[in-house]
Amino acid sequence: MKDSSALSRPAVAAALALIPCFLWGSAVPCIKIGCRMFQLASNDIPGQLVFAGIRFSIAGLMVIVFASIRARRLAIPSKATLPMVLKLGCVQTILQYVFYYAGVANTSGVNAAIITATNTFFCILLATLVFRYEALTAQKLIGCAVGFAGVALINLSSSSGGQSSLLGDGLVLIAAIAYAFSSVLVKRYSQKEDTFVLCGWQFLFGGVVMTLLGLVLGGRLAAPTPSSAALLVYMGFISAVAYSLWSVLLAHNPVARISVFGFMNPVFGVLLSALLLGEGAAAFRPQGLAALALICAGILTVNKAADKKD
């Protein structure tokens, strides 16, 4: 049965889906700028854990406050919801962002933005092969192959200035797989539980765990300045708004219909990396544009058949 909510209307879903895509696109340059502001070296994993943990703790508190105002009471997960919160926190926040922050610190913003787009393919494969939300067709397989060709191209023509693709690009790719797992879990859990409660508490749980782990391992941040503090708050806002809105859209729409808009993530990410990080030469070199085109073509191909059926 199709969802009768306004959020399930294609035009509404399309307009709203672009908001998290832009926010996620801005995350890559913000992470790299934040590492500079807090004086974190690319190999300072404990420090990056503290950085990421504080960000997601802020995001969790933002969502919990919003959910509480919306419900007119403190939004606390029920005993039945708690296992879902813990699973999402481990996969969506801790696992994904341990690899993501370490990867982004060791590759260019352009590469990270493009590789992150592969999470759409993993979402489709998991939704069809593991969770059986939809059928796996030849057209979807072709689309996945085209998209992965784009990932191979960006690695073969790495613009990361001699940095290891295995360390940088490879870790970002693992983070994309973790994100795909979390997306299908959100799709399943949000059918029964409040999406904002799930997102808020899993962010807070994951953020606190990452912060404590980083501190125990010796991670430290440079003393915050007004600029670096504002950046942290904005990055919390990115996660709070983007993941919450994306999760709501997944709850009211087929995975394929929403995932197709993930092709805008690398577009925004590449453009913002070029603007904020001065990576214009990398963003607009022939190999980078070709890789971006292949990934976008792959995503559109994967979702074309599903969109016709919805």
Side-chain angles (χ1 to χ4, degrees):
M1 182 181 294
K2 290 188 177 182
D3 197 308
S4 59
S5 168
L7 293 174
S8 66
R9 297 174 185 172
V12 174
L16 293 177
L18 290 175
I19 297 173
C21 290
F22 174 83
L23 291 172
W24 279 324
S26 71
V28 172
C30 283
I31 290 172
K32 297 187 78 68
I33 292 171
C35 285
R36 296 172 189 168
M37 286 183 168
F38 288 107
Q39 300 175 20
L40 296 173
S42 61
N43 62 349
D44 184 5
I45 303 301
Q48 292 164 19
L49 286 175
V50 175
F51 180 29
I54 294 174
R55 169 195 174 183
F56 290 110
S57 296
I58 292 172
L61 291 173
M62 285 181 175
V63 178
I64 291 168
V65 169
F66 172 78
S68 298
I69 294 173
R70 178 170 168 262
R72 298 182 179 180
R73 60 179 176 80
L74 182 60
I76 300 177
S78 66
K79 188 176 295 186
T81 307
L82 191 57
M84 303 178 193
V85 169
L86 298 179
K87 289 178 184 177
L88 280 176
C90 288
V91 177
Q92 183 167 305
T93 301
I94 299 173
L95 181 61
Q96 179 185 177
Y97 282 99
V98 165
F99 287 109
Y100 188 72
Y101 270 68
V104 169
N106 289 281
T107 190
S108 70
V110 169
N111 275 26
I114 294 176
I115 293 170
T116 299
T118 61
N119 60 39
T120 299
F121 305 121
F122 294 121
C123 284
I124 296 296
L125 294 175
L126 288 171
T128 55
L129 297 178
V130 179
F131 290 85
R132 308 285 184 179
Y133 289 144
E134 52 198 73
L136 180 63
T137 64
Q139 187 173 0
K140 291 176 182 177
L141 286 173
I142 292 172
C144 286
V146 172
F148 281 118
V151 178
L153 179 60
I154 198 65
N155 277 276
L156 290 173
S157 58
S158 177
S159 64
S160 54
Q163 294 171 310
S164 169
S165 291
L166 178 61
L167 180 60
D169 297 354
L171 293 179
V172 174
L173 185 63
I174 294 173
I177 297 172
Y179 166 82
F181 270 102
S182 71
S183 291
V184 291
L185 287 176
V186 166
K187 174 68 176 178
R188 169 175 287 186
Y189 294 160
S190 60
Q191 302 301 314
K192 300 178 180 180
E193 305 296 334
D194 184 276
T195 304
F196 293 106
V197 173
L198 285 172
C199 286
W201 285 97
Q202 71 88 9
F203 275 143
L204 184 58
F205 165 69
V208 169
V209 170
M210 291 173 74
T211 302
L212 292 176
L213 180 60
L215 291 173
V216 168
L217 294 175
R220 296 293 184 271
L221 303 181
T225 64
S227 297
S228 62
L231 179 68
L232 258 180
V233 172
Y234 172 70
M235 293 180 71
F237 175 81
I238 288 175
S239 299
V241 174
Y243 276 106
S244 296
L245 181 54
W246 196 259
S247 297
V248 169
L249 292 172
L250 282 173
H252 290 84
N253 295 273
V255 173
R257 180 188 293 174
I258 300 304
S259 293
V260 68
F261 293 99
F263 86 91
M264 290 303 299
N265 292 0
V267 175
F268 288 129
V270 167
L271 293 177
L272 290 171
S273 291
L275 177 65
L276 300 175
L277 301 176
E279 295 181 359
F284 302 112
R285 73 193 193 286
Q287 297 96 324
L289 292 174
L292 190 61
L294 283 170
I295 289 179
C296 291
I299 295 174
L300 291 172
T301 301
V302 164
N303 286 277
K304 187 176 180 182
D307 287 340
K308 288 181 179 179
K309 292 178 181 179
D310 286 341

